[in-house]
Every structure is written in structure tokens, then in C-alpha cells.
Amino acid sequence: MVRRDSGSDDRTPGAFGAPSRRRVLRLAGGGLALAALTAGTVGCDEDSVDVEDPGSTGGDEPKGGGNGSGDGGDVGEKGQAPKPLWTKPTSAETYGDNDELVAAGGVVIASGSPLAALDAATGGQKWSLPGGAVPGAPLLLSEDTLYLASSEYDGSVIGYAPASGKETWRSRLGKEYRQPRPIAVDEEQVYVIAEILEEDGSSKTNVIAALDSTTGRIAWKEQRDVGTEQNGIHAAVRGRHLVYTDFKKNLTVRDTASGGQVWTHKTTRTNYGFFTVHQDLVIVPQGNVLQAFNLADGKEKWSLEASDGALFREPAVLEDVLYVADSARTMWAVDPRTGRQLWKSEALADAGLQVPRQYVKAGGTLYGATDLDKQGGIIAIDARTGEVRWTFNDKTGDYHAWLVATDGKRVFALHGKKLHALPV
């Protein structure tokens, strides 16, 4: 018998500690529609911000620093980070999730109100949406469409052309549902989660649904169990499989054609829902073990154990390599198909740097974004060896997590309400 989404909570004490303030805020923002957060934000400005030496390292000089080869950007002497191509103020309202900064169609967009798209090359504003992004809802990007939950809170999900900001698609689940938020997208469908309204206007359950990305019609919808959460959802699609987690520590796979549940696991330690997928596998950090499950049946394919009781953090698969760090500040590169270790680096620990929680790759360099100052920021890492090339920190002391995105030509670093474009 296939198990359904479970609403029970079996948090393991001491697994990863309490969620950070930003992630707690994100959960609140996603569930309560914090419209008040949109007041008093700083709008995007056409004028650049002059930054003197913003590329200085955020602490002790990293060991194994930049080599000036151009493979990791236009680095300065002794592993200094490159100077930004431009720095702009933004209206960003971020909660530390990886889907709040995107680059596509020649623009870079940070979640906020108003939602503004900046020219990737110059930082000049290309377009803006007055209503902005709904707090806690992702910027969901397909190949040619940016999907947003409606800031009018009218039950709509809307698609926009990233390059122009023009609306290209719209869909609604119906009046009996509240706050639908897109969680994943593939070539044919947009997947959303929404609250199911009771007669008194309250909500005890939620629904997961698929919307046709051409017509906007509902392809299927499935009610989830009482006690499951519509907050803290992380999702991905691979072929016929929609994979998602929530903060009740459910790892669930559904059939994208029918919505039927294929399998679900109650995981003990999922690092608050973060996972990555590669081909037919979903890879999940669970304490000091990294596990890979077959998407088709949920059976374990391989597992990898961290040394000395360290806990694995957020993983990412980029160009067929799995990158992950652990709480001992060890970086791992792993073959995602087999779990075989490709390299293991102590460079982060040696340099006294924080552990990245988000990664992008451009050329031969891996760029990691950390949670907080001071020993963090954007860390450029040699993707072949794990050695640290440089770190970029704007030294503002802002408590927000760093976010990173790339268009292949530039690396975009968001910190609080400052957006920097760094050369690749």
C-alpha cells in the first residue's frame, strides 16, 4: 500500500538546531501573506552605488586563493575577489530561500515589492511590477516564463516574460482555494499548493494541483492529509515524477500525469526540506548521512556518511557533479549516480569560512552563498579541487542570507537590499 502525505511530526532533537530567523520569517510570510512587509522598501534605482573595495575578503585570507587565470573571474592579488561590475539598491524582501533571486532573459530579478528586473549587463532597471512578489512565494522560472503567485491575493497564478515583464499566462484554481503558490514547473505543467477553504473562512487542509502551462486549465488536483503543511515546500520535477518536501519532514513523490502518490518517506533529518535531484534519483541530507533514493520506487540507491559526526548541509547537482558541505566545513564533490567521492576539501575550514548553503557554477568555478556575515558572503571555489579562490563580502553586516545566481556571463550576489554583479 502506498503511504500518503503524513501530517505527523517526528523531529529528531538536536538534528540541525532551530530554524534560522530568516527561515522562520519565510514560513510566516508564505502562510500569512505578510502584506505589511511591503511597506517602506527601497525601490530599484537607475543610479549605481559606488563601492570602494567591496571585493575584499570577509576575514582571514583564504588558503589556496585566486590564481589570476581568469577561470574564477578577474581576481586581484593574493586571492582578492573581483570588483563588482555594478552594485544597485533593490526592493528585495528575502527570507533566505534559494528561489528568491533568478537570472533569465538578460535580466536579474530579486524577490520584492515592487518586483524589479535589472539589466544583467548594466544594472539599469528594465521593468517593474508594482504589486511585487508575494512574501514567502518563490520566483519560479521555466525556460521562458516567470511564474508568480498573484500579489492581489485573488487566487491567481500568473506567468510573465522575464525579458519584458509582460503577462503571458494566467490561471486560477477556484474560489474554494486560497493563496495558491507555484512550487515547480516542467515543459507542460505548473504545480501549485493552495489552502482549502472551510465555510467559516478557515483552512485545515491543502491541495496540490497541476495547471496546464498552455491553457491554464487544471490538469489534476489532490487533497493532502490533515496536518500537512503548505509552508516550507521545496519541490522539483524530473520526467514523470514531482518531488517535494515540507517542514513536517515528508519526502513525497507524485506522478505528474495523474497526481497520484508514488511513494513517501518520513525522513528523520532533511535539513529543513532541502534536497536535490539527478536523473532518476532524489538525494537528501539526513544528519551525517547523505542518501539517494530511486524516484520510481523510493528504494535507497546509495548512501554516504560524513566523518566525525558532521552533518551534511544543502546539496546541489551542477553539470553532473553533486556538491555538498558538512558542518565541519568540509566540501565534497560526489558522483550523483553512484555516491562515489570525487574529491574532499578542507579549504573552507582552513580559511575559517562559513559553509555555503546555495551553489551555482560558471566555467570551472563553483560559487557558494553563505548564510551570514562576517566569515561568509560569496565564496569562489575551484570546481576541480575544492580549493578556495576568493571570497566576496560587502561588509555591510546585514543579517540577511546571501543569495547567488548566474547567467553564465556574470555572477549575481544579493545581500539584504544590495545586488552586486561580479565578473565570471
Side-chain angles (χ1 to χ4, degrees):
M1 175 179 286
V2 176
R3 290 180 295 160
R4 301 176 67 195
D5 283 341
S6 172
S8 62
D9 189 347
D10 65 347
R11 293 183 185 274
T12 303
F16 278 89
S20 70
R21 180 170 180 262
R22 289 158 311 287
R23 292 179 188 170
V24 171
L25 284 173
R26 178 174 173 81
L27 291 184
L32 300 177
L34 300 182
L37 288 177
T38 63
T41 55
V42 178
C44 290
D45 195 322
E46 290 289 341
D47 297 327
S48 296
V49 175
D50 294 326
V51 181
E52 293 186 8
D53 194 24
S56 59
T57 53
D60 295 335
E61 181 181 307
K63 296 182 180 181
N67 55 18
S69 65
D71 198 15
D74 185 17
V75 297
E77 296 180 358
K78 297 182 180 180
Q80 292 283 320
K83 291 185 177 181
L85 300 169
W86 52 260
T87 295
K88 293 284 184 175
T90 74
S91 57
E93 294 169 354
T94 63
Y95 299 87
D97 245 1
N98 298 348
D99 51 22
E100 297 173 320
L101 180 69
V102 297
V107 300
V108 56
I109 307 168
S111 182
S113 179
L115 186 70
L118 304 186
D119 186 287
T122 67
Q125 183 172 297
K126 296 290 289 291
W127 55 263
S128 68
L129 298 175
V134 172
L139 304 179
L140 185 62
L141 192 66
S142 72
E143 184 176 346
D144 57 3
T145 305
L146 174 69
Y147 294 96
L148 300 175
S150 172
S151 60
E152 298 294 327
Y153 298 99
D154 59 1
S156 298
V157 178
I158 308 172
Y160 300 89
S164 66
K166 293 182 178 179
E167 181 178 325
T168 59
W169 181 91
R170 181 181 286 256
S171 179
R172 288 191 66 184
L173 275 179
K175 293 182 179 179
E176 64 269 36
Y177 304 103
R178 179 171 60 191
Q179 295 184 10
R181 282 165 294 167
I183 59 170
V185 62
D186 59 21
E187 294 179 353
E188 299 179 353
Q189 296 178 149
V190 182
Y191 304 91
V192 301
I193 281 186
E195 299 174 2
I196 301 174
L197 289 175
E198 303 288 333
E199 291 184 0
D200 62 359
S202 66
S203 178
K204 300 176 182 178
T205 53
N206 61 88
V207 66
I208 185 167
L211 307 175
D212 188 293
S213 59
T214 300
T215 66
R217 294 176 180 172
I218 300 173
W220 52 258
K221 57 184 176 181
E222 294 287 334
Q223 181 174 330
R224 301 175 72 216
D225 284 353
V226 174
T228 55
E229 294 186 358
Q230 64 271 14
N231 298 322
I233 298 289
H234 296 94
V237 187
R238 284 296 182 274
R240 285 286 299 271
H241 300 105
L242 170 65
V243 192
Y244 60 94
T245 59
D246 60 26
F247 276 72
K248 291 292 186 180
K249 298 190 182 296
N250 300 309
L251 173 67
T252 303
V253 176
R254 289 185 180 270
D255 186 296
T256 58
S258 67
Q261 188 163 285
V262 180
W263 58 266
T264 186
H265 284 336
K266 183 58 100 173
T267 56
T268 56
R269 298 171 178 176
T270 62
N271 201 16
Y272 300 110
F274 286 97
F275 65 90
T276 189
V277 293
H278 179 70
Q279 295 179 355
D280 59 349
L281 298 176
V282 53
I283 303 165
V284 188
Q286 300 198 73
N288 69 334
V289 177
L290 196 64
Q291 287 182 288
F293 301 101
N294 281 317
L295 286 174
D297 56 18
K299 293 181 179 179
E300 183 181 294
K301 179 70 178 293
W302 57 260
S303 65
L304 181 67
E305 187 172 344
S307 57
D308 301 324
L311 307 180
F312 281 112
R313 306 302 293 271
E314 295 90 333
V317 174
L318 302 169
E319 298 180 3
D320 295 327
V321 177
L322 168 66
Y323 299 99
V324 65
D326 62 37
S327 58
R329 294 183 290 182
T330 299
M331 273 290 299
W332 305 64
V334 177
D335 184 335
R337 299 166 298 178
T338 64
R340 180 177 64 87
Q341 177 183 313
L342 303 178
W343 53 254
K344 187 176 175 182
S345 170
E346 308 291 338
L348 291 175
D350 292 344
L353 297 175
Q354 287 195 24
V355 173
R357 44 168 299 280
Q358 181 193 9
Y359 303 92
V360 297
K361 188 178 180 184
T365 302
L366 186 69
Y367 299 89
T370 70
D371 219 7
L372 294 170
D373 284 337
K374 293 181 180 176
Q375 300 297 89
I378 302 300
I379 305 174
I381 301 166
D382 189 318
R384 297 162 296 187
T385 66
E387 289 301 305
V388 174
R389 287 179 165 158
W390 47 260
T391 62
F392 173 84
N393 194 311
D394 58 15
K395 294 185 178 289
T396 62
D398 192 293
Y399 69 88
H400 284 87
W402 286 81
L403 295 177
V404 65
T406 184
D407 60 1
K409 300 177 182 179
R410 291 157 288 263
V411 170
F412 304 101
L414 178 66
H415 189 212
K417 293 186 179 296
K418 283 189 175 181
L419 180 61
H420 312 275
L422 305 175
V424 170

